[in-house]
Amino acid sequence: MNANFDNASAFIKCNFLSQSPLPLNHQLLSHVFLYNVNTVKFSECNFECAYNPSASLASNYGIGIDALDAKFSVKGTCNGACDIDNMNPSTFTNLFKGINARRLLKNRQYWVDLCFFNNCMTGIENRGIDDATIIRSKFELGNFPIFGDNFGINLQRGTRFIIEENRMK
């Protein structure tokens, strides 16, 4: 019997913070790397690069969640009325990419709801994932210390996505 059960793992109110360079001049690749997992949940978590890596590569700022063939959700919670203006969000701040969702072999959808992407070069990058849901989230672009194109949501391949009630600034 081949059963595909959801993972019971969750990150709740966790802070992922890089405040200084890693030893031996290593660079932060990602705060969380998910590979081939089924349904990992993040709720009210914060991902941030709180220093300037003083490097010429934007990738040195790291990725909040780097997911390869992974099914996951990132959500905030409601504070009174459940909308974009009344939320306790999961946040992504001063990162190369807030979320980098990629498909190599398996299409595993993901959900982003009530999140805040602040000063990330790319808020969410979707590479080949079908059925992604990105709703009720805020994206504030600009002021990223490295020159280059900024994207709130960058969709590269993928179909049947739902993107609703988001705010780009």
Side-chain angles (χ1 to χ4, degrees):
M1 183 168 144
N2 187 7
N4 193 9
F5 296 104
D6 286 348
N7 188 321
S9 298
F11 294 85
I12 301 170
K13 295 185 179 182
C14 296
N15 290 311
F16 300 89
L17 177 65
S18 58
Q19 294 178 297
S20 61
L22 296 173
L24 304 175
N25 293 322
H26 291 282
Q27 297 297 327
L28 173 71
L29 297 177
S30 61
H31 287 285
V32 176
F33 178 68
L34 303 173
Y35 172 69
N36 197 26
V37 296
N38 196 20
T39 315
V40 174
K41 298 172 183 148
F42 296 85
S43 178
E44 288 188 62
C45 292
N46 302 303
F47 302 84
E48 181 178 2
C49 179
Y51 76 102
N52 184 343
S54 65
S56 59
L57 295 174
S59 60
N60 289 342
Y61 286 79
I63 297 169
I65 299 172
D66 193 8
L68 179 61
D69 292 346
K71 183 178 180 181
F72 65 98
S73 66
V74 186
K75 297 183 177 183
T77 57
C78 298
N79 184 15
C82 199
D83 60 38
I84 199 168
D85 293 316
N86 295 292
M87 64 175 173
N88 298 316
S90 282
T91 63
F92 299 84
T93 304
N94 201 36
L95 298 166
F96 172 51
K97 295 179 185 176
I99 296 173
N100 188 33
R102 302 170 289 144
R103 172 166 85 180
L104 181 63
L105 300 173
K106 297 178 184 176
N107 185 65
R108 295 250 173 103
Q109 66 192 117
Y110 63 94
W111 297 264
V112 176
D113 184 16
L114 298 171
C115 292
F116 180 38
F117 297 85
N118 182 31
N119 202 36
C120 295
M121 190 158 191
T122 299
I124 300 172
E125 184 161 295
N126 182 91
R127 290 189 190 173
I129 306 291
D130 298 330
D131 306 303
T133 300
I134 304 166
I135 59 174
R136 300 184 300 181
S137 295
K138 292 196 287 190
F139 298 81
E140 291 191 8
L141 305 175
N143 298 319
F144 194 78
I146 305 291
F147 177 77
D149 293 330
N150 289 86
F151 299 96
I153 302 169
N154 184 3
L155 301 170
Q156 298 180 20
R157 301 180 312 280
T159 62
R160 299 182 308 271
F161 48 82
I162 297 171
I163 300 175
E164 296 177 351
E165 300 180 55
N166 297 293
R167 184 178 300 153
M168 304 284 176
K169 182 176 173 184

